[in-house]
């Protein structure tokens, strides 16, 4: 038996008025609204009272009261590339009534509005108020829609997803045998400096920085940290091997590129684009430098991890309590995917293996190019390609799983899976 179409006040969605969004978004602009209406803007928009009442079956209901008139209701539905609107009075597919117009005009008081907050296709059943994907929370200013914890990776048509076009392995010397450098009472060690790439005040790309250490009597561990090393002069008088000199040069190059640039709020579009281009070029170059450094890094007697909270803290000398013991593997993690049929939706899971053994990842067990097991947090692996770390970075933000309702899988997501299959194994279960 087929489900009946949604009707509001006896009116099906096919009789709602359509307003086109800005291409590739859920943004409605004021100039578009004005093109679809002959009504004039009220001199005092505060005389329009509106209240978001509910969000049921993907439909937003707004209570509206115009000056000296009885309250009416306006109904809004967000579709893929357009907004559907109706009201309890006269709006239909050919006519945008004044209640619908004035409601949208008040919502677009800044000139535009992104309706993505109310875009949840295939997430509500026709005959059910509750959704398996989202929770509706009543708030004084209207219903708040929040993804259930299980579905934080829910994909909606138009959402960003990393498209796999190619996978180019960065050259890395993995076959040679590596011997640990000679121990000394005072020498040079290496620190993996990492931070939160999404934090405006602290972010930088992960890089290596040398430090001068003093070892314990039996040369087993670091007794104290003397200073970070920023140039060749900082290690004068210390016995530095040829391999360490080479590694130091790589580290100095990394640090020069590591800081992420930001554009001012008022920056011109071309300035923003140029800064993005520079950041992109820098982080790709750092990844190449990591691949050059790794065969040398695994030979070093002392290596540590430091969560910096920003480049400003990489100065002077390391703070002992913040330096965590770390090791690095020359092995390259292998990415694969599992596509599960979960009834109403598909779930795409990312998995990483090293020598056939599954890595158990957590949201904080990665540093863009590098990953570690959530149990063995001291052992880091460098990913093999740019595409690898873009996928890991994306999936780490959604608990390594993406959910796609079947209603739009074929039209909007299947091509991503097909792209992934060209470079990685996708197991269907």
């Amino acid at each position: 038996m087929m489900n009946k179409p949604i009707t509001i006040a006896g009116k099906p969605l096919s009789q709602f008025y359509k307003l086109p969004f800005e291409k590739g978004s859920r943004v409605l602009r004021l100039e578009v609204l004005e093109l679809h209406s002959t009504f004039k803007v009220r001199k005092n928009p505060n005389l329009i009272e509106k209240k978001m009442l509910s969000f049921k079956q993907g439909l937003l209901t707004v209570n509206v009261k115009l000056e000296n008139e009885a309250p009416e209701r306006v109904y809004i539905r967000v579709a893929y590339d357009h907004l559907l609107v109706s009201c309890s009075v006269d709006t239909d597919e050919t006519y945008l009534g004044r209640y619908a117009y004035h409601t949208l005009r008040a919502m677009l008081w800044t000139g535009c509005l992104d309706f993505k907050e109310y875009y949840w296709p295939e997430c509500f059943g026709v005959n059910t108020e509750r959704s398996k994907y989202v929770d509706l929370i009543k708030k004084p200013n209207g219903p708040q829609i929040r993804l259930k914890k299980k579905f934080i990776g829910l994909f909606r048509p138009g959402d960003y997803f990393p498209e796999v076009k190619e996978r180019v392995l960065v050259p890395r010397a993995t076959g040679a045998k590596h011997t640990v450098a000679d121990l000394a009472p005072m020498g040079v060690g290496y620190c993996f400096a990492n931070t939160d790439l999404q934090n405006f005040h602290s972010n930088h790309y992960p890089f290596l920085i040398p430090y001068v250490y003093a070892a314990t009597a039996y040369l087993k561990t670091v007794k104290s940290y003397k200073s970070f090393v920023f140039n060749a002069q900082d290690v004068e008088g210390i016995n530095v091997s040829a391999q360490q000199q080479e590694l130091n040069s790589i580290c100095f190059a990394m640090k020069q590129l590591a800081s992420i640039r930001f554009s001012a709020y008022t920056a011109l579009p071309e300035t923003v684009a140029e800064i993005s281009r520079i950041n992109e070029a820098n982080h790709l170059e750092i990844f190449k430098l990591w691949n050059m450094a790794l065969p040398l890094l695994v030979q070093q007697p002392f290596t540590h991890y430091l969560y910096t909270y920003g480049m400003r803290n990489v100065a002077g000398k390391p703070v002992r309590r913040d330096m965590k013991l770390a090791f690095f593997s020359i092995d390259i993690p292998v990415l694969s995917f599992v596509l599960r049929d979960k009834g109403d939706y598909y779930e795409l899971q990312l998995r990483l293996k090293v020598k056939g053994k599954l890595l158990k990842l957590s949201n904080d067990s990665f540093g863009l190019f590098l990953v570690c097991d959530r149990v063995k947090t001291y052992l880091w692996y460098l990913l093999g390609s740019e595409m690898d770390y873009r996928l890991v970075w994306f999936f780490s933000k959604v608990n390594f799983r993406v959910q796609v309702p079947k209603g739009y899988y074929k039209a909007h997501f299947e091509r991503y899976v097909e792209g992934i299959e060209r470079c990685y194994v996708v197991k269907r279960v």
Side-chain angles (χ1 to χ4, degrees):
M1 181 177 178
M2 295 181 63
N3 290 327
K4 294 180 180 179
I6 297 175
T7 58
I8 302 298
K11 189 183 299 181
L13 285 176
S14 61
Q15 293 178 18
F16 277 44
Y17 194 86
K18 286 185 179 182
L19 290 162
F21 288 135
E22 190 172 74
K23 188 175 180 180
S25 75
R26 312 280 103 73
V27 174
L28 179 64
R29 294 202 169 273
L30 181 58
E31 52 264 35
V32 172
L33 175 65
E34 299 295 1
L35 285 173
H36 287 256
S37 173
T38 58
F39 295 107
K40 300 296 182 183
V41 180
R42 287 172 174 251
K43 291 181 179 180
N44 187 354
N46 292 326
L47 296 177
I48 301 171
E49 299 177 13
K50 62 180 177 60
K51 183 180 180 180
M52 311 294 189
L53 293 181
S54 64
F55 187 75
K56 296 178 180 179
Q57 297 180 353
L59 194 90
L60 179 66
T61 301
V62 186
N63 195 66
V64 182
K65 188 179 187 308
L66 304 183
E67 186 181 15
N68 300 323
E69 297 187 33
E72 298 291 346
R73 291 191 174 182
V74 170
Y75 310 103
I76 297 171
R77 177 71 170 255
V78 183
Y80 177 65
D81 57 2
H82 60 272
L83 190 74
L84 294 167
V85 61
S86 188
C87 69
S88 55
V89 184
D90 54 359
T91 297
D92 61 20
E93 72 272 26
T94 63
Y95 175 72
L96 181 66
R98 62 194 182 97
Y99 283 96
Y101 166 77
H102 285 300
T103 299
L104 291 174
R105 183 64 179 77
M107 295 174 77
L108 299 174
W109 64 274
T110 62
C112 66
L113 182 65
D114 192 341
F115 282 87
K116 184 177 180 180
E117 178 184 358
Y118 303 107
Y119 181 55
W120 300 100
E122 302 294 331
C123 290
F124 292 86
V126 174
N127 299 314
T128 58
E129 290 188 9
R130 291 191 175 185
S131 167
K132 72 190 302 180
Y133 303 101
V134 301
D135 287 320
L136 300 177
I137 302 154
K138 290 184 178 180
K139 296 283 185 177
N141 58 345
Q144 180 184 353
I145 306 148
R146 186 170 63 192
L147 279 169
K148 293 182 178 180
K149 188 176 181 180
K150 180 180 177 182
F151 295 104
I152 62 170
L154 186 74
F155 175 90
R156 292 174 289 180
D159 283 355
Y160 170 75
F161 187 86
E163 195 158 359
V164 180
K165 295 181 179 178
E166 61 178 352
R167 179 177 182 262
V168 180
L169 285 171
V170 176
R172 185 190 307 174
T174 58
K177 293 183 178 179
H178 303 286
T179 57
V180 177
D182 293 336
L183 291 166
M186 184 171 287
V188 177
Y190 296 87
C191 176
F192 166 22
N194 192 27
T195 193
D196 182 0
L197 285 177
Q198 295 182 318
N199 189 318
F200 180 87
H201 297 289
S202 73
N203 63 13
H204 59 73
Y205 297 121
F207 67 100
L208 279 172
I209 183 164
Y211 58 81
V212 175
Y213 69 83
T216 53
Y218 294 99
L219 308 182
K220 295 292 186 183
T221 58
V222 171
K223 180 173 69 176
S224 62
Y225 301 93
K226 300 301 181 183
S227 64
F228 284 116
V229 176
F230 301 104
N231 52 60
Q233 289 70 41
D234 289 342
V235 291
E236 286 182 353
I238 298 173
N239 185 23
V240 179
S241 68
Q243 289 86 354
Q244 287 180 327
Q245 289 179 17
E246 183 182 353
L247 183 53
N248 288 351
S249 296
I250 296 171
C251 292
F252 301 154
M254 278 191 189
K255 189 174 184 298
Q256 289 294 318
L257 302 170
S259 293
I260 297 176
R261 303 186 183 196
F262 297 97
S263 55
Y265 180 73
T266 55
L268 295 173
E270 52 266 32
T271 302
V272 174
E274 176 61 13
I275 289 175
S276 296
R277 186 196 65 77
I278 292 171
N279 284 334
E280 177 77 5
N282 285 349
H283 102 258
L284 290 174
E285 185 61 29
I286 291 177
F287 180 53
K288 293 177 183 177
L289 291 170
W290 266 102
N291 278 275
M292 294 168 58
L294 190 62
L296 301 168
L297 184 63
V298 296
Q299 300 180 53
Q300 305 310 311
F302 295 121
T303 50
H304 287 79
Y305 172 90
L306 172 65
Y307 192 87
T308 67
Y309 296 97
M311 190 69 83
R312 64 188 180 277
N313 297 318
V314 186
K317 69 176 184 178
V319 178
R320 182 179 178 83
R321 68 174 179 273
D322 296 334
M323 298 287 279
K324 311 298 182 186
L325 195 64
F327 299 97
F328 298 87
S329 173
I330 206 73
D331 297 320
I332 300 175
V334 176
L335 276 67
S336 64
F337 295 82
V338 178
L339 184 66
R340 292 186 174 89
D341 187 332
K342 307 286 278 189
D344 294 339
Y345 64 94
Y346 291 107
E347 183 175 79
L348 184 66
Q349 178 188 6
L350 169 67
R351 300 197 301 183
L352 274 80
K353 289 184 178 181
V354 175
K355 291 184 174 180
K357 187 175 181 181
L358 190 66
L359 282 181
K360 297 176 181 178
L361 299 171
S362 63
N363 293 341
D364 58 355
S365 62
F366 65 98
L368 189 60
F369 320 117
L370 298 104
V371 295
C372 69
D373 190 278
R374 66 176 177 228
V375 176
K376 295 181 179 179
T377 56
Y378 52 84
L379 180 58
W380 291 88
Y381 302 90
L382 182 63
L383 294 165
S385 73
E386 175 195 349
M387 197 67 247
D388 288 359
Y389 70 72
R390 291 191 188 279
L391 285 165
V392 172
W393 171 251
F394 174 83
F395 274 85
S396 69
K397 292 183 285 187
V398 292
N399 200 27
F400 303 99
R401 289 173 168 84
V402 170
Q403 299 84 28
V404 187
K406 286 185 175 179
Y408 56 75
Y409 171 84
K410 201 160 199 61
H412 296 282
F413 197 79
E414 189 174 47
R415 70 181 182 90
Y416 292 122
V417 176
E418 291 172 349
I420 288 171
E421 282 185 305
R422 286 193 285 269
C423 298
Y424 305 93
V425 173
V426 178
K427 181 181 178 181
R428 288 171 164 80
V429 295

